[in-house]
Amino acid sequence: MRLKILTVDDSKTVRIIVKKSFKTFDCEVHEAQNGVEGLAMAAKINPDVILLDITMPVMDGVEMLTKLKSDPTLKSIPVIMLTAEAGRENVMKIAKIGVRDYIVKPFKEEVLQDKVSRVVDLRPAGEAEPVQKKIDDPIDILVVDDKPAIIEQIKSGFSHTPWNVHGVSSTGEAIDFCQKNVPDCIIISLSIPEDAAITLFRIIRSNAKTKYVPLFGLSVKTAIEEQQRAQQAGFSTIISKPIDFEDLENKIGKAVNLDASGKYFKMDGTFMTVKLPGTCNAGVVNDVSAHLKEKTSEAVNSGISNVVFDAQEVKSLNMDVIKLLLQSMKMCRDLSLKYALAGNAQIKDDSRKFEESKDWIFCDTVADAKATL
Amino acid sequence: MLSLGGISIVHAFLTQSITFPSKPFRKANDIKGINLNILKMQQTFPINDKDLEALANNALTTVFDTMLDTKVSLNESIILESESYNKGLVLPLDTTQPLVTGTVGFIGKLTGIIYIFMNLPFAEKLTCKLLDMEPDDLDSESTETVNDALGELTNMIVGTFKNELSDKGFHCRMTIPSILRGSNYTIEPVEVALRRIYQFECEGSPFVIDILMKEED
């Protein structure tokens, strides 16, 4: 259900600015121009948060707040004062009645969004029904590291992907970047001086626009203490240096919820190729398996009748891969699809060690496999 | 609301209005000699000119920077002869053009009123900037829209000014903003202990802030 924000202000200008500030979020903004209207509207719509001015005609903000807090059905609605009336005395007086926060006019839209997002779960519009990005979409990755060589290494490591890697050397630059473009993923070096990574983590998590962006810590494998501090601060994923790019690519893909099927399944003429990557661990097998039925149906519907399972890059054959291939081949037979296998010498050797795969025939290349069909 | 020959006056706190003022004023930076009246006022009023100018400058700069993402600069500070405080004055602004004036008062240890005078085209420009509107979007209801936007900007400016006064120990509360519209008018206060006029400029357009205050017992 969409969030409801109630703005109570005698100034139409302020009400317009409040509406404008939340235009890009999944919420509806309701208006009232004094305390009397504000109380009536609060009772009618039961808002998730109220933004309340103080100096208003008919009934001012202090009186409305007092009445709101004495009404059992309304008293739990969080109130943020949005007023030009500041000064220590005023703030203390209002705080005693019970407000969640206080914003002094003039205010930046970002401050308003930030304060509201600390009280309610404010999500960008459209996030409720997100459009899933694909593995070959140009996502933006922000790398925060004071060592340019690491940034260059990450850029180079992802040069085979369409991903855009943006490098910045300080937390200030990172905040500026995030204000202009919200990245899909952020990688922060944990070794930036003065625990700047943890400070940046908190800033990013407390901002409405960036609070859901996946954040990875980057650390030398042996810097255990640094990694523990980061985990305590809330970093859920820490990448070790030297970086294993295949592993990092998978982690980013999962964290950003990319549709990875394009990485494994390719349609070409009358063929569908299922390409297995070098490191074919349980995660990869699950990924392929999750898309197998849908992609095979898609192939059949588009007139494809041949499937090649390409295991040429797979370093070793394990039971997970064998189970995947068994499941895939059965699906092909059920759908009357012809199939063939391509693999390297190691895979051929490995396949003979298992009862389930000892009779499999692997061609040397995908072209050879296609030729057998 | 009073209406005097095309002049609309909505607010009547400490003030009256007249037309065609003629009393001259001095620019602060032009003063070379010593004026006993000014010295007397400065010795008795609890805030000196330097602090007052800083308060006004900070209030304008903060609001314009935060809400309009634009800069203002102080062109001149005008120190009046004390006998001129309650006279109508020629403002350092083209008063023959349509004027829009935002005004908010404050009541407390210091009681006063602040006016912000500007020409209508500049008020419309600020409104568009504040509300993210194109000039063409200002339709038949533009008078109300501009009045409300200028009222809110004045509210924020006076709020910032007043909050600093409060933090200095001069606690006061604000009134609801009002708007004056017309041309060739000025303000004639009934009772005032201090009056200062500052001309600011923003993106080539001048505008004026007129501060009137007295200390309450």
Side-chain angles (χ1 to χ4, degrees):
Chain A
M1 196 160 63
R2 297 185 86 194
L3 278 177
K4 288 178 200 154
I5 298 172
L6 173 60
T7 168
V8 186
D9 203 304
D10 59 326
S11 164
K12 191 179 173 189
T13 300
V14 172
R15 301 198 306 266
I16 292 172
I17 293 171
V18 170
K19 274 198 152 178
K20 193 158 63 75
S21 303
F22 295 104
K23 203 169 62 181
T24 58
F25 293 92
D26 190 30
C27 63
E28 49 198 54
V29 179
H30 298 261
E31 302 176 40
Q33 49 185 331
N34 57 55
V36 173
E37 282 188 16
L39 284 171
M41 187 63 87
K44 186 179 166 191
I45 65 165
N46 192 25
D48 296 283
V49 61
I50 298 175
L51 297 169
L52 181 59
D53 187 19
I54 291 182
T55 312
M56 292 183 289
V58 186
M59 182 192 285
D60 70 14
V62 177
E63 192 179 346
M64 175 179 158
L65 181 64
T66 310
K67 288 187 188 299
L68 193 87
K69 291 296 167 192
S70 61
D71 184 328
T73 58
L74 304 176
K75 68 177 181 186
S76 61
I77 301 170
V79 175
I80 297 176
M81 300 307 289
L82 177 61
T83 175
E85 285 273 9
R88 282 182 285 273
E89 205 177 59
N90 260 318
V91 176
M92 294 304 289
K93 184 176 151 195
I94 301 295
K96 277 182 192 162
I97 310 174
V99 291
R100 195 63 76 85
D101 214 330
Y102 205 100
I103 302 171
V104 178
K105 297 175 188 172
F107 60 91
K108 288 268 184 206
E109 286 185 13
E110 294 80 26
V111 173
L112 185 60
Q113 293 160 355
D114 181 44
K115 297 261 187 183
V116 169
S117 74
R118 285 169 193 232
V119 174
V120 293
D121 187 12
L122 194 61
R123 286 171 174 266
E127 195 168 278
E129 294 170 28
V131 176
Q132 192 180 22
K133 289 189 176 176
K134 296 197 169 91
I135 194 84
D136 47 1
D137 281 342
I139 63 166
D140 290 303
I141 298 167
L142 177 66
V143 181
V144 190
D145 201 315
D146 54 352
K147 297 171 201 72
I150 299 291
I151 293 173
E152 283 313 310
Q153 195 189 0
I154 295 174
K155 280 185 180 174
S156 163
F158 289 136
S159 59
H160 66 286
T161 70
W163 297 354
N164 302 312
V165 178
H166 309 269
V168 294
S169 60
S170 67
T171 53
E173 285 177 67
I175 293 162
D176 285 348
F177 183 94
C178 291
Q179 274 173 351
K180 287 175 197 150
N181 323 281
V182 177
D184 295 286
C185 177
I186 303 173
I187 300 171
I188 308 172
S189 167
L190 300 180
S191 62
I192 304 177
E194 295 170 356
D195 271 348
I198 290 172
T199 308
L200 181 59
F201 178 90
R202 288 180 181 143
I203 293 170
I204 288 168
R205 281 287 171 265
S206 64
N207 185 295
K209 282 184 184 170
T210 54
K211 70 195 286 189
Y212 298 110
V213 175
L215 277 166
F216 293 171
L218 185 61
S219 169
V220 177
K221 209 169 198 168
T222 50
I224 306 294
E225 199 184 317
E226 177 182 274
Q227 291 174 22
Q228 282 173 344
R229 270 208 318 277
Q231 278 165 339
Q232 278 167 5
F235 276 91
S236 55
T237 309
I238 292 174
I239 307 297
S240 298
K241 289 190 272 191
I243 302 167
D244 175 348
F245 280 98
E246 197 176 328
D247 178 53
L248 179 57
E249 195 178 323
N250 284 332
K251 283 180 172 155
I252 291 175
K254 282 207 186 324
V256 180
N257 191 27
L258 294 177
D259 173 2
S261 62
K263 192 170 154 186
Y264 310 116
F265 297 86
K266 294 262 187 312
M267 316 284 180
D268 180 19
T270 58
F271 289 91
M272 177 172 84
T273 307
V274 184
K275 187 180 171 67
L276 302 177
T279 307
C280 228
N281 54 28
V284 172
V285 169
N286 281 340
D287 239 12
V288 178
S289 186
H291 295 290
L292 185 66
K293 193 174 174 187
E294 174 204 338
K295 285 289 163 186
T296 311
S297 302
E298 195 182 314
V300 172
N301 285 335
S302 59
I304 286 172
S305 53
N306 304 299
V307 180
V308 173
F309 296 100
D310 177 9
Q312 289 178 102
E313 287 180 10
V314 178
K315 288 169 190 158
S316 65
L317 201 63
N318 56 43
M319 269 318 287
D320 286 329
V321 180
I322 290 172
K323 279 183 190 165
L324 172 69
L325 287 172
L326 283 171
Q327 179 197 357
S328 305
M329 288 188 272
K330 180 177 182 304
M331 196 174 287
C332 286
R333 285 194 296 273
D334 291 347
L335 293 167
S336 305
L337 292 167
K338 292 180 193 165
Y339 60 90
L341 301 163
N344 55 39
Q346 178 67 44
I347 293 298
K348 287 178 188 171
D349 278 352
D350 288 349
S351 68
R352 290 184 204 109
K353 296 173 192 164
F354 296 93
E355 181 62 29
E356 292 86 347
S357 60
K358 64 178 174 23
D359 298 327
W360 289 357
I361 298 167
F362 285 90
C363 299
D364 291 334
T365 65
V366 171
D368 288 350
K370 281 182 179 177
T372 64
L373 298 171
Chain B
M1 182 194 286
L2 283 168
S3 186
L4 292 173
I7 306 162
S8 301
I9 300 162
V10 188
H11 209 282
F13 175 72
L14 290 177
T15 66
Q16 290 178 329
S17 79
I18 62 162
T19 53
F20 306 112
S22 57
K23 194 71 185 176
F25 51 76
R26 290 177 180 215
K27 295 177 185 178
N29 49 7
D30 286 346
I31 294 172
K32 295 189 175 87
I34 298 169
N35 183 302
L36 289 177
N37 286 327
I38 293 170
L39 277 180
K40 188 179 168 193
M41 182 281 298
Q42 285 176 335
Q43 282 161 0
T44 54
F45 201 78
I47 299 170
N48 65 37
D49 272 314
K50 195 179 157 200
D51 285 349
L52 194 64
E53 182 183 298
L55 285 174
N57 196 19
N58 177 55
L60 265 302
T61 305
T62 304
V63 172
F64 274 62
D65 181 47
T66 310
M67 300 307 295
L68 302 162
D69 201 18
T70 190
K71 304 281 175 222
V72 290
S73 56
L74 176 62
N75 273 355
E76 56 179 300
S77 302
I78 296 160
I79 295 178
L80 304 163
E81 309 276 359
S82 61
E83 63 268 25
S84 306
Y85 287 172
N86 59 354
K87 301 277 174 66
L89 301 162
V90 179
L91 294 169
L93 203 61
D94 182 1
T95 51
T96 60
Q97 295 290 313
L99 282 178
V100 189
T101 305
T103 168
V104 171
F106 46 94
I107 308 158
K109 218 168 177 182
L110 286 176
T111 292
I113 189 160
I114 294 179
Y115 295 88
I116 297 171
F117 296 89
M118 61 184 71
N119 292 122
L120 179 60
F122 182 55
E124 289 176 343
K125 187 177 168 184
L126 293 185
T127 302
C128 290
K129 233 178 156 96
L130 183 66
L131 299 177
D132 244 353
M133 292 165 71
E134 293 298 323
D136 292 345
D137 296 340
L138 284 173
D139 52 15
S140 54
E141 291 178 0
S142 72
T143 302
E144 193 195 323
T145 307
V146 172
N147 284 359
D148 198 83
L150 184 60
E152 190 50 41
L153 282 175
T154 309
N155 186 45
M156 291 179 187
I157 291 163
V158 178
T160 309
F161 182 91
K162 183 231 74 161
N163 291 337
E164 279 205 52
L165 283 182
S166 292
D167 288 342
K168 285 176 189 288
F170 302 104
H171 303 298
C172 27
R173 284 171 42 232
M174 288 159 66
T175 66
I176 291 165
S178 299
I179 296 293
L180 309 172
R181 271 184 181 247
S183 57
N184 205 14
Y185 65 84
T186 185
I187 303 301
E188 199 177 278
V190 173
E191 185 193 350
V192 64
L194 174 75
R195 186 175 188 186
R196 291 289 180 268
I197 295 174
Y198 303 98
Q199 192 206 47
F200 283 84
E201 189 178 306
C202 173
E203 298 179 4
S205 301
F207 64 100
V208 168
I209 172 166
D210 188 356
I211 301 174
L212 305 107
M213 288 198 289
K214 64 173 185 170
E215 191 179 15
E216 296 293 346
D217 295 334

